[in-house]
Amino acid sequence: MAIVGGAKVSTKIPVIESLMEKCDTILVGGGMIFTFYKAMGYDIGASLVEDDIVGLAKELMAKAEAKGVKLMLPTDVILADKFDNDANSAIAKVSEISGDWRGLDIGPETVAAFGEEIAKANTIVWNGPMGVFEMPNFAEGTFAVANLLAEATERGAITIVGGGDSVAAINKAGLGDKVSHISTGGGASLEL
C-alpha cells in the first residue's frame, strides 16, 4: 500500500504510475486531491489546483481502475476561508466545497477510512503530507496518518516514510523512531 500526498500532482505522476505496478491500494491526500476533484467535475472553491494536469489526473484514475488498483481519495476535508493558521475553518464533504473556501487538510471521515486501509496492509510507503501540517490547525490529518503508521509498525507491518516533507511531518509528530524506515529520497526513490 502507498500513501501519497503533497501539494502538486505534477511532481507525483511518475510516483503514482510506478506505485500502480506494485500496490493494490493507493491513498491520496494533500493539495493534489483538488486536481483530481476538478477532473471529476467537483467545485473546488479556492483550493489549490493544477489546471494543466486535470486531464492527466483523469487518466490516472482510469488507469488505476483498469489495473484494479484502489485509488482512494478523501471523502471530506478541512476547509479554510484563507491560507492562514487562524483562518475560519469547517469540515465539509468534498462535494460541498465552493466559493472562497479552500481545502487545507483531510477530514476526520477520511482519517477513519484511511485507518481501515492501513490496518489491513503489511507494507506501507508514505510520501507527502495530507495537509498543511506546518500550520497546527491543519496538521491533524498528517499527524493522524503518522500515528496510524506507527501503530502499523507496532503490529509488524513494514512502514517506509520517504521525502523531506513526510520526514519532517513524522518527526514533528514525534514518531520518527516508530516506523521501519525513513528516507529523504522521497518521490525519486519511489519511482524505482
Side-chain angles (χ1 to χ4, degrees):
M1 161 192 279
I3 305 164
V4 182
K8 294 186 173 185
V9 178
S10 58
T11 61
K12 303 288 173 136
I13 288 168
V15 173
I16 293 171
E17 287 179 325
S18 176
L19 290 169
M20 279 189 211
E21 301 300 323
K22 301 167 183 77
C23 298
D24 53 2
T25 303
I26 301 173
L27 309 180
V28 183
M32 73 168 73
I33 62 175
F34 301 103
T35 300
F36 286 100
Y37 294 140
K38 188 161 187 180
M40 296 165 69
Y42 288 140
D43 184 347
I44 57 165
S47 300
L48 182 68
V49 66
E50 289 180 273
D51 284 314
D52 57 327
I53 305 293
V54 170
L56 204 45
K58 196 170 202 161
E59 289 175 27
L60 280 174
M61 290 185 287
K63 189 183 280 189
E65 187 174 349
K67 289 183 171 289
V69 174
K70 185 177 194 176
L71 188 67
M72 194 167 162
L73 294 164
T75 53
D76 66 337
V77 292
I78 308 297
L79 296 174
D81 62 355
K82 59 184 174 181
F83 190 79
D84 187 298
N85 186 58
D86 298 321
N88 293 311
S89 63
I91 299 168
K93 298 279 187 201
V94 296
S95 58
E96 298 171 348
I97 304 168
S98 65
D100 293 332
W101 290 86
R102 69 200 72 226
L104 296 183
D105 198 4
I106 60 174
E109 183 179 282
T110 298
V111 169
F114 282 13
E116 289 175 20
E117 294 297 323
I118 291 168
K120 295 186 272 187
N122 293 320
T123 303
I124 307 157
V125 178
W126 179 27
N127 175 258
M130 300 291 102
V132 187
F133 76 95
E134 300 87 349
M135 294 183 197
N137 290 336
F138 304 102
E140 198 168 314
T142 298
F143 291 163
V145 167
N147 276 302
L148 291 164
L149 260 64
E151 290 170 12
T153 308
E154 192 173 310
R155 69 169 165 74
I158 296 168
T159 53
I160 303 156
V161 179
D165 286 341
S166 305
V167 172
I170 199 143
N171 286 331
K172 193 170 184 178
L175 299 168
D177 62 342
K178 303 291 185 197
V179 294
S180 306
H181 304 283
I182 291 181
S183 167
T184 55
S189 63
L190 297 179
E191 289 178 41
L192 299 175

